[in-house]
Amino acid sequence: MTENTQQSNHSAPELPTQYTPADVEGPLYERWVERGYFEADEKSDKPPYTIVIPPPNVTGSLHLGHAFEHTLIDALTRRKRMQGYETLWQPGMDHAGIATQNVVERELAKEGVSRHDLGREAFVERVWQWKNESGGQISGQMRRLGDGVAWSRERFTMDEGLSKAVQTIFKRLYDDELIYRAERIINWCPRCLTAISDIEVEYQDDDGELVSIRYGEGDASIVVATTRAETMLGDTAVAVHPEDERYAHLVGTEIELPLTGRRIPVVADEHVDPEFGTGAVKVTPAHDPNDFEIGRRHNLANLAVLDERGVITAHGPFQGLDRFEARSAIVGALRAEGRIVSEKRPYTHSVGHCSRCKTTIEPRLSMQWWVKVGPLAKAAGDAVRDGKVAIHPKEMESRYFGWVDNLHDWCISRQLWWGHRIPVWYGPNGEVVCVGPEDEAPSGEGWHQDTDVLDTWFSSGLWPFSTLGWPEQTPSVEKFYPNSVLVTGYDILFFWVARMMMFGLYAMDGTPPFHTIALHGMVRDQFGKKMSKSFGNAVNPLDWMDAYGSDAVRFTLARGANPGVDVPIGEDWVQGSRNFANKIWNATRFALMNGATVEGELPPAEQLSATDRWILSRLNSVVAEVDAYYDDYQFAKLSDTLFHFAWDEVFDWYVELSKTTFMAGGPAADASRRVLGEVLDVTLRLLHPIVPFVTETLWTTLTGGESLVIAEWPSDSGFRDAAAEKEIDTVQQVVTEVRRFRSDQGLQPGQKVPARLDLSGTALAAHEAAMRSLLRLQPAGEDFSATASLPVAGATVALDLSGAIDVEAERKRLTKDLAAAEKEKAQANGKLGNEAFLAKAPEKVVDKIRGRLAAAEADIVRITAQLAALPKA
């Protein structure tokens, strides 16, 4: 347990009768921030604990995914702070190049101007203006959630320090020949007019067409199939498998490419699957990544036929047509020439779209900047294989290795104006100079800087150390690098996590950026469906916070957080969590009204009742369980453990069992009041990292302490009392069984009935008063006549129900229910005994009938027992 050092000078602290989150959360959070509880001191001699926030886009607002992830990180950091660590939760935002540029361009469009009208310098100034005035609203929303981040350290991926870090690592990679410029196939957005990363491509099934086209004539002809007929204008070969005998006579020859007047070679390449389609594929190296590789192997020409806006550039009747217009026109022209062998419409296939503007992505050959990832990716893989970095859950390791072990070179240039401009200058005579942060850029006639900016993943890949002041060897770098753990979604394992691993190992002399990668799943609706505005199931967490409080949202999210598994969430679950917060409030209020205290030492075990020893034993077990779950990132299990301990064991059992003790007064009551204070003190500490607001309010009232944020985390004292746990378990068995019997007999919860308790031979005698109170059992008078007798756990509870229920009415009701259950059983047996029915019925239908049979048989047993227990007429 914790040693309570705070002194309470108020004898009867009071709480409002009702907990109202809106009155508490905002002022309480500002108090935490003003007192500097979340700040981190690099000069501290405490052990460090560091987590970086996955930087949200400056354009973003808090969604459920953020709320989920931030709840988990906040829980970890709050606990570590309470455990005595110098805790840094590093906040900040990403400049989100393409998203932010799109936002500002839309604003300009409303004014009737474009970025080109403004020019690059003025446009960038306009973006900074937007950022300062309108960007970063998520910061305020994070405060609503209770994020305990070190606000004084907030960083932005375009601020001066991070810009210096970006320029530094670019220069180092360039000098080490790990950055180069080359023509390659990239994902191109014809609307945003830039290359985009793989993660910015969203794939969906679209209805298109699959057209089979005959190239060549007679024996020298080959049929190829394509969903992008417009690209055939850029074909520079047809490829077949080297061992495909059907086309062996054509390999090395040329055939006619329809509509173009060109002849193209037939090449043999092992990339072609001879079993798929006709076993022959058209090769368009400038507009397909696989074709580009075939082209490199066979020295084929790269013939681009689409411009940056997706418009046909090839000379002829199709020049100037949009790609989709050209597709229809080209198929029509091929059909007129008798070249179409077959057409399939609609043909559903997966098509990439720009995640920002939803435009269909166009694979495009383009001169871009690239990172040579081979040695960097190997180091990233080895760090996990060698145990320097642990991935949690461990089964995610295979996905990580599957990515980093097969990583292609990374296209890092973007054709945007907002972002880190590539620090390369070109001279009038073909000179190329890469400039570091301490270098002076070339000047003079004919010199100009590269117009592209860097992919935002490039700067966010430096996040674990650039936020600490790198490339300077700052005290923060010394203290807080490497990070303790990275908490992030499995969906960006490949994109963000892999890049941080590569850059961290490269820049920090082989030291990985974090010790552990803790991966969580995605938030889904209560039916497991992806949340989306188009599905109509997207939820604004701020609405739920307004309705139920931030603690309720946090607890719901944490209770669903199993490592690496998606999290379903529904509003009724948030309502349940709100009820839990209210339960904590009401129970603590009751405890305070009945004198619960944290003052003074706990009485020794021999002076405590079995009920007191039981709850203290269970409390220590829960402390140990919660610690183990935290260390294993099992948020769902630790939340569930705390929920059931607090609600079931503390509030529903211990408080109820102690009421008679409090009423009796004396030393036993004083001891129980101190035990209740201890249990609440520790329980509130355990709950605080997940539900910080309600626990802070209750704990400071109970203990008089300054704040739970800086309070000591509970420890397991080792106290266990198996005998007391067994004794109270027996009490619970008796109470539960008698409650069930009362319910079965139709008694109202508050209805009192006479009863005689035979507790001889058990350890229950000391609990008789509490059991009678819980069960609403009156003492047996002289005229007591038992109408029902319940043997439970070695005890016998005899009840006189003669005046409590209408026996004949109850017998008629149960007899009717029994007849219905027997009828249901007969019908189910009839169907299951019918061979013809079983032969035709689907397995699901048969299983459902088996379930109905089992339920009917259980009802018959239950109702028969209830009838037998009724008083005799």
Side-chain angles (χ1 to χ4, degrees), residues 554-798:
R554 291 170 61 113
F555 192 73
T556 304
L557 291 164
R559 204 173 177 195
N562 291 296
V565 178
D566 288 345
V567 183
I569 183 171
E571 186 168 4
D572 55 338
W573 303 343
V574 185
Q575 291 173 351
S577 296
R578 186 268 315 274
N579 295 343
F580 179 51
N582 288 341
K583 183 80 170 181
I584 300 170
W585 183 272
N586 293 333
T588 304
R589 186 170 177 272
F590 167 85
L592 290 170
M593 291 171 62
N594 283 273
T597 181
V598 297
E599 293 186 358
E601 297 295 322
L602 277 172
E606 58 270 18
Q607 294 180 18
L608 297 176
S609 68
T611 305
D612 291 337
R613 297 195 309 275
W614 159 71
I615 199 62
L616 290 175
S617 180
R618 287 293 303 129
L619 181 65
N620 277 284
S621 294
V622 167
V623 170
E625 289 173 32
V626 168
D627 275 333
Y629 286 141
Y630 261 117
D631 292 341
D632 199 34
Y633 305 100
Q634 297 279 359
F635 296 97
K637 290 182 179 179
L638 73 90
S639 300
D640 214 45
T641 296
L642 287 170
F643 174 86
H644 287 294
F645 175 71
W647 191 306
D648 300 341
E649 298 186 76
V650 178
F651 305 145
D652 279 357
W653 283 108
Y654 179 71
V655 169
E656 293 298 324
L657 287 170
S658 300
K659 281 182 178 178
T660 53
T661 305
F662 293 151
M663 291 175 64
D670 291 339
S672 291
R673 290 187 181 100
R674 179 63 187 90
V675 170
L676 179 54
E678 179 76 8
V679 171
L680 288 173
D681 176 14
V682 174
T683 302
L684 291 170
R685 293 177 196 241
L686 292 173
L687 282 165
H688 176 72
I690 297 174
V691 284
F693 295 107
V694 67
T695 52
E696 172 86 337
T697 307
L698 295 173
W699 185 85
T700 52
T701 304
L702 171 71
T703 68
E706 180 183 344
S707 173
L708 262 179
V709 180
I710 55 172
E712 183 182 350
W713 182 253
S715 59
D716 175 10
S717 70
F719 175 77
R720 300 290 190 278
D721 192 323
E725 290 195 35
K726 184 177 180 181
E727 185 172 323
I728 301 304
D729 180 65
T730 304
V731 172
Q732 291 171 332
Q733 287 182 50
V734 174
V735 171
T736 300
E737 187 59 33
V738 176
R739 278 176 172 169
R740 183 182 297 115
F741 176 78
R742 285 177 56 105
S743 175
D744 288 345
Q745 298 305 317
L747 293 175
Q748 296 300 313
Q751 190 173 355
K752 294 182 178 181
V753 294
R756 179 180 292 130
L757 276 63
D758 181 1
L759 307 177
S760 58
T762 71
L764 301 180
H767 305 285
E768 180 170 351
M771 292 164 64
R772 283 186 176 276
S773 176
L774 288 168
L775 291 169
R776 305 294 191 270
L777 301 180
Q778 295 175 322
E782 293 183 3
D783 59 346
F784 176 82
S785 175
T787 59
S789 182
L790 300 175
V792 187
T796 301
V797 179

Side-chain angles (χ1 to χ4, degrees), residues 114-125:
S114 72
R115 64 181 165 115
H116 300 286
D117 295 325
L118 292 182
R120 183 169 192 143
E121 186 174 339
F123 176 76
V124 171
E125 286 181 6

